Amino acid sequence: MIRSRSKKATLVAAILACLPATAVADGSELDALRDRVVQLESLVRDLVADREQTRAELRRVEHESAAALDERIARTVAELREVEPETGDGITFGGYLKSDFILSDYSGGQIPSGSIGRDFYVPGTLPVGGADEDVHADFHARETRLFLKAQKTLENGSTLGAYVEGDFLVTGGGNERVSNSYSPRMRHAFVSYEGWLAGQTWTTFQNVGALAENLDFVGPAEGTVFGRQVMVRYTGGPWQFAIENPETTVTPFGGGARIASDDGNLPDFVARYEARGDWGNFVVTGLLRQLAYEDPALGIDDTETSIGLSLSGKMPVGRDDFRWMLTAGQGLGRYVGLNTANGAVLTETGELEAIDSISGFASYRHLWSDQWRSNATLSFIDVDNDIALTGAGVTAEARSLHLNLIYNPLPGFDLGVEYIYAERELESGADGDMNRLQFSTRFAF
């Protein structure tokens, strides 16, 4: 704009200079006038060109601003899909409706009707050592989930929140003869305020953000830290510290039915640290707890220390992502593999001895397009049993492979198919495997 005003001043000066002092001009004055006219025409052309350049620059800036705004909106929407949306004050109701159609073939026997292993993959229920069975079909909608969320901003600017969630898995009350009317169960129920949480939710030892995407309820169950329980948790920046409900699972001396002990007098202690960046996230969690069992009739009253460490993460690979987890420790028991192994075993003298284990999974998610995606997952658990104490009838190892294809034809609506191969082996060498094909529909609202 400064340049334009300068040229306009020059034009005015040239016009004034062209005005002769008298009405009559000689030949030299006419030549000078012609030169000035040529100069004026050149200045006018420069002004027109400068105006067009200015207009083009304005159009370019407007286009770049619109493109930057579109990119910012798209990035914000993508980020909101990865986290739970903030709804402001008030009450939010949501969840999803899911139906599963499952075909299973077992090489080592049959899972009894009504077992949770028929509804989703539970490593410890996989039959071993028996006869090959025909294919079993199981259809259910028990994973259907509902939640209620309340949030209120207080006068001091802090937010008080509450969350309740339930589904219909692992409950009684239903049958497949007439109504399939299963009872609901509580998954989450907690309040939160200023970094504090009290109530039931995912154990702090678990990294929910690293869980593989599967149609099966858990997916790579044997390699996953998985559990919900009551706790008090504090979150400060990347750190979390929690005290959580204690519970010990015990194998009797020589083997036998699992003992679920509720004799602990100390909570489970969990610490967690999470690092985040453009490269993804990395989580390390530590567990320290007391294993306890008391049976006055048998003269048993003992405790044992349990420690565990879990590493996990999720990393973007272009549009795809890679998720993983590795967990090891003494006496992890119910925290890993849906309690594939117990936390401790009783010795002949009634003392507790922690059972060591290592487990993990790796999962790769690939986006074929905006509507099609797939996940490939490998999972394992290895248990270090002292068979002189546990006997040979306990799980020594379990493995599984998960492959799926998911189609998203409408917002919030998924159709998918998943193949699962799993195997389990006892310390005795008896083993069995499972081939499962699962079709699922899911609508989130």
Side-chain angles (χ1 to χ4, degrees), residues 228-240:
R228 292 181 298 270
Q229 57 193 11
V230 176
M231 69 188 68
V232 176
R233 175 196 295 165
Y234 175 73
T235 301
W239 289 96
Q240 290 186 337

Side-chain angles (χ1 to χ4, degrees), residues 205-264:
F205 193 52
Q206 176 183 355
N207 180 11
V208 179
L211 290 179
E213 183 186 32
N214 292 95
L215 300 181
D216 182 82
F217 175 60
V218 180
E222 63 273 277
T224 304
V225 174
F226 190 95
R228 292 181 298 270
Q229 57 193 11
V230 176
M231 69 188 68
V232 176
R233 175 196 295 165
Y234 175 73
T235 301
W239 289 96
Q240 290 186 337
F241 301 94
I243 54 173
E244 305 189 4
N245 180 62
E247 180 78 3
T248 303
T249 55
V250 181
T251 300
F253 174 69
R258 170 180 293 139
I259 301 171
S261 165
D262 195 22
D263 298 323

Side-chain angles (χ1 to χ4, degrees), residues 316-432:
V317 184
R319 294 185 64 193
D320 302 343
D321 64 65
F322 177 70
R323 312 173 191 202
W324 62 279
M325 182 177 291
L326 183 65
T327 308
Q330 299 175 331
L332 294 179
R334 63 187 178 86
Y335 278 95
V336 176
L338 302 181
N339 213 162
T340 298
N342 290 322
V345 59
L346 282 172
T347 66
E348 188 175 9
T349 58
E351 297 176 335
L352 292 174
E353 183 174 301
I355 299 174
D356 298 349
S357 66
I358 183 170
S359 61
F361 73 82
S363 182
Y364 188 85
R365 181 173 71 166
H366 176 64
L367 274 64
W368 301 101
S369 69
D370 291 338
Q371 292 182 304
W372 292 89
R373 63 189 188 274
S374 290
N375 297 267
T377 308
L378 290 170
S379 180
F380 79 96
I381 185 171
D382 287 329
V383 185
D384 184 15
N385 296 292
D386 184 347
I387 59 175
L389 302 178
T390 64
V394 293
T395 300
E397 60 182 48
R399 305 278 189 275
S400 67
L401 165 69
H402 309 252
L403 300 170
N404 63 38
L405 178 64
I406 302 173
Y407 175 50
N408 177 229
L410 299 168
F413 182 61
D414 286 336
L415 299 170
V417 58
E418 181 167 282
Y419 168 71
I420 302 175
Y421 172 79
E423 58 185 21
R424 181 169 75 108
E425 183 176 346
L426 305 184
E427 291 288 357
S428 65
D431 61 8

Side-chain angles (χ1 to χ4, degrees), residues 268-351:
D268 294 354
F269 298 92
V270 187
R272 165 179 167 147
Y273 177 82
E274 179 175 7
R276 282 184 174 271
D278 294 339
W279 46 268
N281 74 79
F282 170 74
V283 173
V284 54
T285 56
L287 171 69
L288 175 65
R289 66 179 184 138
Q290 179 194 75
L291 305 176
Y293 178 52
E294 180 179 355
D295 187 340
L298 298 177
I300 299 173
D301 185 2
D302 194 38
T303 61
E304 173 72 302
T305 299
S306 169
I307 58 173
L309 180 69
S310 184
L311 309 176
S312 58
K314 177 181 176 182
M315 295 171 287
V317 184
R319 294 185 64 193
D320 302 343
D321 64 65
F322 177 70
R323 312 173 191 202
W324 62 279
M325 182 177 291
L326 183 65
T327 308
Q330 299 175 331
L332 294 179
R334 63 187 178 86
Y335 278 95
V336 176
L338 302 181
N339 213 162
T340 298
N342 290 322
V345 59
L346 282 172
T347 66
E348 188 175 9
T349 58
E351 297 176 335

